[in-house]
Amino acid sequence: MLRVTRIAHCYLSWLQLIRQHSATGENQMKVESGGFLLSRNYAITSAHVCKFCERRTCRALIGAWDVQEKNDPTAKIVDFPGRTVNPLYNPDTTIGVVYDASLLKFSQPLDLNEHVQPLCFATPATREIANKDKCHVYGWGNTSLPGQRVHHRSSENFDPDIIAISPKLKKIKTQIMDKVVCDSQIPISGFVCAYTPRLTGPSNGDSGAPLVCKSKDKFYYAYGVYKGLYGSGFEHPPSLYADSMIIYEWVRSIVGNDLNTDCTTDEEEYS
């Protein structure tokens, strides 16, 4: 991905999911991922990353641009003891896998300011995208090519098995594929497919990131939640996103009137 300045960081959340050993309490595994704010009380991410999360072991970094910046006055660590996986999500079926989304409820409402703001979630009524060639995806994910030997961000030693997670938020321009083409080229129907040339798209560590596009009503919305790449038979594999259209009613049923409707038309925030 490309580096992004302190523009859209207020909508994004850096998630750190820690699974602890039930007997010893020691940390067994740490999974770093993405997500974005829907309201003062809720964020959304991918369901598949939440399988590592147990109550009282999950947290989010809100309002951050550089996740390694220890003295960032705009960043805040918050807990989310509550999580709700979409009830239709099933990673083992072609029908259930497209509902790869989970809502995270914070332990207390966030204080919204210029650095912490919810993103508008696309509704069926705002489905029409103004320009499918001018969408963006944001994240702190892998910055190395598959199989590339990378340098661990906190070590002097090289390790080929370590993912080069970017400490700074990055973005990349992406193109929405026609749904008929998308459904005809992958064996699973129901995702939003996006195409990014030259292997510069989202990767490991970007799960839960928003696909942000400008609607024909000139507002910006999250149209999808990043799931992963579909690589079989593609030189440049498309990125797959849980479609806002098929999960909107579920999101609305839980978040309710708290769901953000104060959408922006400021192109500088997303372009």
Side-chain angles (χ1 to χ4, degrees), residues 133-169:
D133 293 335
K134 292 186 177 180
C135 296
H136 291 87
V137 60
Y138 303 81
W140 289 272
N142 187 5
T143 55
S144 65
L145 296 177
Q148 181 178 345
R149 192 174 177 86
V150 300
H151 189 270
H152 193 285
R153 62 187 186 193
S154 60
S155 172
E156 295 300 318
N157 300 316
F158 284 91
D159 188 333
D161 298 322
I162 294 177
I163 297 172
I165 298 296
S166 168
K168 294 181 174 65
L169 179 64

Side-chain angles (χ1 to χ4, degrees), residues 70 84 122 127 133 137 140-141 165 180 214 217 223 240 270:
K70 295 181 179 180
T84 305
R127 183 62 188 170
D133 293 335
V137 60
W140 289 272
I165 298 296
V180 174
K214 187 176 185 179
D217 66 4
Y223 280 85
L240 304 183
Y270 297 108

Side-chain angles (χ1 to χ4, degrees), residues 89-143:
Y89 174 64
N90 186 338
D92 299 321
T93 68
T94 56
I95 296 176
V97 72
V98 299
Y99 295 93
D100 192 354
S102 181
L103 290 170
L104 310 174
K105 187 173 183 179
F106 300 119
S107 56
Q108 54 185 312
L110 301 176
D111 294 324
L112 301 182
N113 52 55
E114 62 178 320
H115 305 292
V116 178
Q117 287 289 328
L119 182 61
C120 275
F121 199 64
T123 71
T126 58
R127 183 62 188 170
E128 291 298 317
I129 300 173
N131 191 332
K132 294 184 178 182
D133 293 335
K134 292 186 177 180
C135 296
H136 291 87
V137 60
Y138 303 81
W140 289 272
N142 187 5
T143 55

Side-chain angles (χ1 to χ4, degrees), residues 30-258:
K30 182 171 70 174
V31 178
E32 295 169 323
S33 186
F36 56 98
L37 306 181
L38 296 175
S39 73
R40 297 176 67 231
N41 294 291
Y42 286 92
I44 190 169
T45 187
S46 295
H48 71 264
V49 302
C50 284
K51 66 182 180 180
F52 299 103
C53 184
E54 294 180 355
R55 189 175 297 273
R56 296 183 301 277
T57 64
C58 302
R59 60 185 183 178
L61 183 61
I62 305 297
W65 175 62
D66 184 339
V67 298
Q68 290 185 339
E69 177 58 58
K70 295 181 179 180
N71 299 314
D72 186 348
T74 71
K76 181 180 179 180
I77 296 176
V78 296
D79 296 323
F80 47 93
R83 65 182 180 91
T84 305
V85 174
N86 190 299
L88 297 178
Y89 174 64
N90 186 338
D92 299 321
T93 68
T94 56
I95 296 176
V97 72
V98 299
Y99 295 93
D100 192 354
S102 181
L103 290 170
L104 310 174
K105 187 173 183 179
F106 300 119
S107 56
Q108 54 185 312
L110 301 176
D111 294 324
L112 301 182
N113 52 55
E114 62 178 320
H115 305 292
V116 178
Q117 287 289 328
L119 182 61
C120 275
F121 199 64
T123 71
T126 58
R127 183 62 188 170
E128 291 298 317
I129 300 173
N131 191 332
K132 294 184 178 182
D133 293 335
K134 292 186 177 180
C135 296
H136 291 87
V137 60
Y138 303 81
W140 289 272
N142 187 5
T143 55
S144 65
L145 296 177
Q148 181 178 345
R149 192 174 177 86
V150 300
H151 189 270
H152 193 285
R153 62 187 186 193
S154 60
S155 172
E156 295 300 318
N157 300 316
F158 284 91
D159 188 333
D161 298 322
I162 294 177
I163 297 172
I165 298 296
S166 168
K168 294 181 174 65
L169 179 64
K170 295 180 182 290
K171 73 172 181 179
I172 194 69
K173 186 176 177 180
T174 190
Q175 304 172 15
I176 305 297
M177 296 172 60
D178 183 271
K179 184 169 179 57
V180 174
V181 175
C182 174
D183 290 346
S184 67
Q185 293 189 10
I186 66 172
I188 304 170
S189 176
F191 284 113
V192 173
C193 296
Y195 169 75
T196 310
R198 299 184 300 278
L199 294 176
T200 55
S203 186
N204 295 336
D206 286 318
S207 294
L211 174 67
V212 179
C213 306
K214 187 176 185 179
S215 173
K216 286 189 176 180
D217 66 4
K218 299 183 180 180
F219 290 99
Y220 286 87
Y221 299 91
Y223 280 85
V225 182
Y226 179 65
K227 174 181 176 55
L229 298 175
Y230 181 78
S232 178
F234 289 88
E235 181 180 358
H236 303 299
S239 305
L240 304 183
Y241 298 82
D243 192 337
S244 65
M245 178 179 288
I246 69 170
I247 63 175
Y248 175 78
E249 291 301 331
W250 166 71
V251 169
R252 182 77 185 190
S253 70
I254 296 174
V255 182
N257 293 331
D258 198 28

